[in-house]
Amino acid sequence: MKSNKIDPKFNQHQNPKIGLVALASDYMIEKDFIKIIKDKKIDFFVNRIECFNPLTRENLIKMSEKVTEVTSDILPGEKIDCVAYGCTSGTIAAGYDSIEKKIKKAKPEAIVTTPSTSSIKALKKLKVNKVAIFTPYSKKLNDEVLNFFKKENFEITANSYFGIESDIDIGKIDPSYLYEILSKMDLNEADALFISCTALPALSIIEMLEQKLNKIVLSSNQTLIWDSLNAINYKEKIEGFGKLFNS
């Protein structure tokens, strides 16, 4: 038998690449990305980062120490156009500059986005000044999120929270119940509602909430995906996931 060596032929065109650093305990974030980018000419890669409970500022900062290592294992040696760090409270605790620096050690060419920074971009894009905020966190972590938005010069008109201290429990929230309680928040003075946390099942109820409340509704995953698409210059409108994608 004779073996023949055949020269490979590679694709001349490569799709833009989005890398996601997801929490090891997050039920929702990959599903939400896939809901929006499926059937689009986008390549999507995920690696998960070890997280620690209870959810505290100290544990969120501890988690961020492994960001470079986890990012390096997303297509090792290959360029990625955008890296999304999938933790809202974790970015607030560690600081965006710290997260960006750690990611760029592994992927220096990548644009870095996070739920907290993307939510600020989205609120400014939609010209929102007064925002109601819902979080699933403990009171202390909830208040840190509020302070983050206040420092960005937003007026917080209302706030509710669950008080959950284990990240893995957040993804188990019943989306119908989440819709019910968010529908009852006092949003009279708010221009928009922001639902914090990538693990909450919020994306699927955003359109229903906007119709019910007659307000702009944003969530961590929604803004993170929106900003990731902006980073790769994806311009087409996307239906079914809130006003943000058609702004």
Coordinates of all heavy atoms in Angstrom, one line a residue, residues 47 54 57 78 81 87 92 95 99 102 108 110 112 120 132 140 146 149 154 160 162 165 203 205 224 227 230 236:
N47 N -14.9 29.0 28.0 CA -14.2 28.3 29.0 C -14.8 28.7 30.4 O -15.2 29.9 30.5 CB -12.7 28.5 29.0 CG -11.9 27.4 29.7 OD1 -12.4 26.4 30.1 ND2 -10.6 27.7 29.9
P54 N -19.6 31.5 49.8 CA -20.7 32.4 49.4 C -20.2 33.5 48.5 O -19.0 33.8 48.4 CB -21.2 32.9 50.7 CG -20.0 33.0 51.6 CD -19.3 31.7 51.2
R57 N -17.5 39.9 48.0 CA -16.5 40.7 47.2 C -15.2 40.0 47.2 O -14.5 39.9 46.2 CB -16.4 42.1 47.8 CG -15.5 43.0 47.1 CD -15.5 44.5 47.6 NE -14.7 45.4 46.8 CZ -13.4 45.5 47.0 NH1 -12.8 44.9 47.9 NH2 -12.8 46.4 46.2
E78 N -4.4 31.2 19.3 CA -5.2 31.9 18.3 C -5.7 33.2 18.7 O -6.0 33.5 19.9 CB -6.4 31.0 17.9 CG -6.0 29.7 17.2 CD -5.5 30.0 15.8 OE1 -6.2 30.7 15.0 OE2 -4.4 29.5 15.4
D81 N -11.4 38.0 18.7 CA -11.8 39.4 18.4 C -12.3 40.0 19.7 O -12.1 41.2 20.0 CB -12.8 39.4 17.3 CG -12.3 38.9 16.0 OD1 -11.4 39.6 15.4 OD2 -12.7 37.8 15.6
C87 N -19.4 37.9 34.4 CA -19.7 38.0 35.9 C -19.9 39.5 36.2 O -19.0 40.3 36.1 CB -18.7 37.4 36.8 SG -19.2 37.4 38.5
I92 N -17.5 44.2 39.0 CA -17.6 45.4 39.9 C -16.6 45.2 41.1 O -15.9 46.2 41.5 CB -19.0 45.5 40.4 CG1 -19.9 45.9 39.3 CG2 -19.1 46.5 41.6 CD1 -21.4 45.9 39.6
G95 N -12.9 45.2 39.5 CA -12.6 46.4 38.7 C -12.4 46.0 37.2 O -11.7 45.0 37.0
I99 N -9.7 43.2 35.3 CA -10.1 42.1 34.4 C -9.6 42.3 33.0 O -9.1 41.3 32.4 CB -11.7 42.1 34.4 CG1 -12.3 41.8 35.8 CG2 -12.2 41.1 33.4 CD1 -11.9 40.5 36.4
K102 N -5.9 41.3 32.8 CA -5.7 39.9 33.0 C -6.0 39.1 31.6 O -5.3 38.2 31.2 CB -6.5 39.3 34.1 CG -5.9 39.7 35.5 CD -6.8 39.1 36.6 CE -6.2 39.3 38.0 NZ -6.2 40.7 38.4
P108 N -4.0 39.6 23.8 CA -3.7 41.0 23.7 C -4.5 41.8 22.7 O -4.7 43.0 22.8 CB -2.2 41.1 23.5 CG -1.8 39.8 22.9 CD -2.8 38.8 23.5
A110 N -7.7 41.2 21.8 CA -9.1 41.1 22.0 C -9.7 42.4 22.6 O -9.1 43.0 23.5 CB -9.4 39.9 22.9
V112 N -12.3 43.7 25.2 CA -12.8 43.0 26.4 C -14.1 43.7 26.8 O -14.2 44.9 26.9 CB -11.8 43.1 27.6 CG1 -12.4 42.5 28.9 CG2 -10.5 42.4 27.2
I120 N -23.6 49.8 31.4 CA -23.4 51.3 31.4 C -23.5 51.8 30.0 O -24.2 52.8 29.7 CB -22.1 51.7 32.0 CG1 -22.1 51.2 33.5 CG2 -21.8 53.2 31.9 CD1 -23.1 51.8 34.4
A132 N -34.2 51.6 37.7 CA -34.5 50.6 38.8 C -33.6 49.4 38.6 O -33.3 49.0 37.5 CB -36.0 50.2 38.7
K140 N -25.4 43.0 51.0 CA -24.2 43.7 50.9 C -23.7 43.8 49.4 O -23.3 44.8 49.0 CB -23.1 43.0 51.7 CG -21.7 43.7 51.8 CD -20.8 43.0 52.7 CE -19.5 43.8 52.8 NZ -18.5 43.1 53.7
L146 N -25.5 48.8 43.5 CA -26.1 50.1 43.5 C -25.1 51.2 43.5 O -25.2 52.2 42.7 CB -27.0 50.3 44.7 CG -28.2 49.3 44.8 CD1 -29.1 49.7 46.0 CD2 -29.0 49.2 43.5
F149 N -23.5 51.9 40.1 CA -24.3 52.7 39.1 C -24.4 54.1 39.6 O -24.4 55.0 38.8 CB -25.7 52.0 39.0 CG -25.7 50.9 38.1 CD1 -25.5 49.6 38.5 CD2 -25.9 51.0 36.7 CE1 -25.5 48.5 37.7 CE2 -25.9 50.0 35.8 CZ -25.7 48.7 36.3
F154 N -25.9 57.5 37.6 CA -27.3 57.2 37.4 C -28.0 57.3 38.7 O -27.5 57.1 39.8 CB -27.4 55.7 36.9 CG -26.8 55.5 35.5 CD1 -25.5 55.1 35.3 CD2 -27.6 55.8 34.4 CE1 -25.0 54.9 34.0 CE2 -27.1 55.7 33.1 CZ -25.8 55.2 32.9
S160 N -34.9 46.0 44.3 CA -35.3 44.8 45.0 C -34.2 43.8 44.8 O -33.4 43.8 43.8 CB -36.6 44.3 44.4 OG -37.7 45.2 44.6
F162 N -33.0 39.3 45.9 CA -33.4 38.1 46.5 C -32.7 37.7 47.8 O -33.2 37.1 48.7 CB -33.1 36.9 45.5 CG -34.2 36.7 44.5 CD1 -33.8 36.4 43.2 CD2 -35.5 36.9 44.8 CE1 -34.8 36.2 42.2 CE2 -36.5 36.7 43.8 CZ -36.1 36.3 42.5
E165 N -27.0 33.7 48.4 CA -25.6 33.8 48.7 C -24.8 32.7 47.9 O -23.6 32.8 48.0 CB -25.3 33.7 50.2 CG -25.9 34.8 51.0 CD -25.4 34.9 52.4 OE1 -24.7 34.0 52.8 OE2 -25.7 35.9 53.1
L203 N -33.2 36.7 30.1 CA -33.2 37.1 28.7 C -34.6 36.8 28.1 O -35.1 37.5 27.3 CB -32.1 36.4 27.9 CG -32.0 36.8 26.5 CD1 -31.5 38.2 26.3 CD2 -31.0 35.8 25.7
I205 N -37.5 36.7 29.2 CA -38.7 37.5 29.6 C -38.6 39.0 29.4 O -39.5 39.7 29.7 CB -39.0 37.2 31.1 CG1 -37.8 37.7 32.0 CG2 -39.3 35.7 31.4 CD1 -38.1 37.7 33.5
L224 N -24.3 42.2 27.7 CA -23.0 41.6 27.4 C -22.9 41.1 26.0 O -21.9 41.3 25.3 CB -22.7 40.5 28.4 CG -21.3 39.8 28.3 CD1 -20.2 40.7 28.6 CD2 -21.3 38.5 29.1
D227 N -22.9 44.1 23.5 CA -21.6 44.7 23.4 C -20.6 43.8 22.7 O -19.7 44.3 22.0 CB -21.1 45.1 24.8 CG -20.1 46.2 24.8 OD1 -20.1 47.1 23.9 OD2 -19.1 46.2 25.6
N230 N -21.2 44.3 19.1 CA -20.6 45.6 18.7 C -19.1 45.5 18.5 O -18.6 46.1 17.6 CB -20.9 46.7 19.8 CG -22.3 47.1 19.8 OD1 -23.1 46.9 18.9 ND2 -22.8 47.7 21.0
E236 N -26.5 43.9 12.2 CA -27.8 43.6 11.9 C -28.7 43.7 13.1 O -28.3 43.3 14.2 CB -27.9 42.2 11.2 CG -27.2 42.1 9.9 CD -27.3 40.7 9.3 OE1 -28.3 40.0 9.6 OE2 -26.4 40.3 8.6

